[in-house]
Amino acid sequence: MPPPNGGRPGLRDRDGTPCERDTVRRCTIRILIAGGGCAGTATALHLQRGLRDRLRRGEVEITVVEPQAYLTYHPLLAEVAAGSIDPRHVVVPLRRALPDCRVLTARITRIEHAARRALADAAAPGEAPTPLELPYDILVVAPGSVSRTAPVPGLAEHGRGFSTVAEAVGLRNHVLEQLDLASATRDPALRQSALTFVFVGAGYAGVGALAELEDMARYAVRGYHNVAPEDLRWVLVEATDRILAEESPELAAHTLGQLRERGVDVRLRTTLESAAGQVVALSDGSRFAARTLVWTAGVRPSPLLRDTDLPLDTAGRVRCLPTLQVVGPDGRALPGVWAAGDCAAVPDPHADGAPCAPNAQHAFAQAELLARNVAVALESGPHSPGLAAYRPGPAACSTSLGLRRAVAHTRRGGRLTGRRAWWLHRARHLRRLPSADRRVRVLMDWVLGGLFSREVVSLGTLEHPRSEFEAGFGPRPERGPDAPA
Ligand SMILES: Cc1cc2nc3c(=O)[nH]c(=O)nc-3n(C[C@H](O)[C@H](O)[C@H](O)COP(=O)(O)OP(=O)(O)OC[C@H]3O[C@@H](n4cnc5c(N)ncnc54)[C@H](O)[C@@H]3O)c2cc1C
């Protein structure tokens, strides 16, 4: 007799034996969450709480599929780069946060909603991926977005991204190494290139990273006898006519003013034409050498969405109703599938029904409503009048611009700058971080940062932990074509 689930690792019964789809269907409702980022993890947390009794009785099973074993809280990455927060404290280990859910460290490769199944590859570093078939009854689509790259000459060789913890730590070490290099070299051209930092894209990632690193570098140069803050050149390049497109125009204009006051060279309506040979060429005709080029030019919806049979809008996001159900061909809810976060085109009632901007505020608020609506649909069906529509509260936006500097808007429309904005910004993110353990750790980092002077040492060698050991063997002989393998 063929093994259940076509011989692939799949769903198991409550006592651990693999089971046929139909048997499981009778006893357990399987909720599959694709993506364990802000929206996916928050949905799982709310469902875990709201369906606790049904989960314990085995009536419902929640599986979160995420390639990393943790959630990365992106809004605090800039503070990781500045050294204000320990890198481990901005990630939330999923298995600890979701003890009543199954967490699968895998990447979903395809979703066939008509057949109610997803295909995934289990991720084991350095090994061939293990294919998995994941049947489900209810699907939550939350794979977020990815960086939008462009075919700019030299970008792939010399640019770096800023969306992971590794990139944040790597950029911090790189910036500090450039100060060391500038201090040590006698070549004026090399010195200038080392002290020029270019960020392309003025969204959250670009503005936050530049502002925090500029602040850190300004502090760090106090320790150098021959590098002054005025020697550092920070350039922010943005293709559109404003920065922070995800935020209100008022907050964006205010942030722009603050950056320019600090001497940041912000170039609007300008694009990067080339970075070949570490020489930055911009569309306004300027050319200069820069050893640091950070690419943060926007995001596009996760490419996974193209490998699904779900309806997408022109930008490639899943089309959703205000209830966060995916829209079917008849304009009504497609049964059993929901979406939230950056990947979802959810109408924003404050923007005449245009899709919500891709930001963490929407991702968390949508996740909370989605979990509530899934619980209602489980009780009363997918067209229940009890399903609520997504109505985000007034935007509570803020941007950190370094230690004790930020700009923020209050929910009542007030505008804050400086320390008060900075405290408000920190309080908001502390409240949003989806783990009490992480909240305490981040708070402790901030308290320690206030008590002691800033830590500005580069630990770039951590990125090559074997180099010292390998150096002990001396230079490696060149391998000829006939050398034994
Ligand atoms: C550097 C940076 C700074 C930011 N700062 C702010 C800020 O200050 N304020 C703000 O509001 N927003 C900010 N944002 C935006 C905010 O982080 C996102 O809008 C938010 O994370 C969206 O949540 P999400 O769950 O949709 O996506 P994510 O949080 O990105 O989660 C998506 C998850 O899906 C996983 N995934 C992807 N593909 C697959 C697959 N095929 N199978 C399974 N899992 C998959 C990913 O690994 C990821 O963990 C920032 C973003 C960045 C990058």
Side-chain angles (χ1 to χ4, degrees), residues 452-473:
F452 300 103
S453 55
R454 281 182 93 145
E455 196 51 80
V456 284
V457 66
S458 162
L459 288 179
T461 47
L462 285 182
E463 291 160 40
H464 311 284
R466 299 190 68 244
S467 57
E468 195 67 26
F469 182 68
E470 284 172 349
F473 292 94

Side-chain angles (χ1 to χ4, degrees), residues 323-379:
T323 52
L324 305 173
Q325 290 163 296
V326 174
V327 182
D330 57 357
R332 299 185 77 204
L334 201 60
V337 56
W338 308 70
D342 285 6
C343 74
V346 180
D348 183 347
H350 302 311
D352 294 332
C356 293
N359 67 37
Q361 198 182 332
H362 283 305
F364 283 112
Q366 288 170 2
E368 187 174 354
L369 178 76
L370 192 158
R372 179 197 170 277
N373 279 351
V374 165
V376 170
L378 281 176
E379 291 295 333

Side-chain angles (χ1 to χ4, degrees), residues 35 37-39 65-67 74-75 107-108 142-144 162 204-205 341-342 358-360 363:
C38 296
V65 187
E66 163 61 47
H74 294 118
R107 179 176 291 280
I108 294 188
F162 193 79
Y204 284 126
D342 285 6
N359 67 37

Side-chain angles (χ1 to χ4, degrees), residues 182-382:
S183 171
T185 184
R186 296 195 174 168
D187 176 348
L190 177 60
R191 177 185 158 90
Q192 202 167 12
S193 158
L195 295 180
T196 303
F197 306 93
V198 181
F199 289 68
V200 182
Y204 284 126
V207 171
L210 181 146
E212 289 283 350
L213 284 163
E214 189 268 347
D215 193 60
M216 178 200 71
R218 185 182 283 272
Y219 177 88
V221 294
R222 290 186 198 176
Y224 293 80
H225 68 286
N226 58 352
V227 184
E230 309 79 66
D231 299 339
L232 308 180
R233 182 178 181 197
W234 297 85
V235 185
L236 180 59
V237 179
E238 167 58 43
T240 68
D241 59 358
R242 60 165 287 192
I243 65 168
L244 289 178
E246 312 91 332
E247 293 282 13
S248 71
E250 298 79 31
L251 186 94
H254 199 175
T255 309
L256 178 63
Q258 296 267 318
L259 289 175
R260 284 190 165 146
E261 240 172 61
R262 276 160 65 170
V264 176
D265 179 0
V266 184
R267 308 212 181 175
L268 300 177
R269 297 187 202 87
T270 307
T271 53
L272 176 71
E273 302 288 291
S274 168
Q278 291 194 318
V279 174
V280 167
L282 302 179
S283 60
D284 61 7
S286 50
R287 283 171 67 86
F288 47 87
R291 287 176 53 86
T292 306
L293 174 63
V294 186
W295 181 263
T296 50
V299 293
R300 62 185 169 87
S302 164
L304 164 66
L305 303 177
R306 289 199 303 261
D307 292 318
T308 69
D309 51 1
L310 302 174
L312 307 184
D313 71 357
T314 48
R317 284 169 298 192
V318 187
R319 289 179 52 225
C320 290
L321 294 171
T323 52
L324 305 173
Q325 290 163 296
V326 174
V327 182
D330 57 357
R332 299 185 77 204
L334 201 60
V337 56
W338 308 70
D342 285 6
C343 74
V346 180
D348 183 347
H350 302 311
D352 294 332
C356 293
N359 67 37
Q361 198 182 332
H362 283 305
F364 283 112
Q366 288 170 2
E368 187 174 354
L369 178 76
L370 192 158
R372 179 197 170 277
N373 279 351
V374 165
V376 170
L378 281 176
E379 291 295 333
S380 335

Side-chain angles (χ1 to χ4, degrees), residues 137-153:
D137 300 297
I138 294 173
L139 174 69
V140 177
V141 186
S145 49
V146 294
S147 287
R148 196 190 302 131
T149 49
V152 176

Side-chain angles (χ1 to χ4, degrees), residues 115-183:
R116 302 266 175 142
R117 65 172 196 158
L119 304 181
D121 280 340
E127 283 177 32
T130 311
L132 303 173
E133 184 179 326
L134 306 165
Y136 61 79
D137 300 297
I138 294 173
L139 174 69
V140 177
V141 186
S145 49
V146 294
S147 287
R148 196 190 302 131
T149 49
V152 176
L155 177 61
E157 295 80 13
H158 306 300
R160 29 175 88 229
F162 193 79
S163 61
T164 65
V165 174
E167 286 171 336
V169 174
L171 182 58
R172 167 187 171 74
N173 289 329
H174 172 82
V175 168
L176 291 170
E177 281 163 12
Q178 300 317 298
L179 303 185
D180 289 337
L181 176 62
S183 171

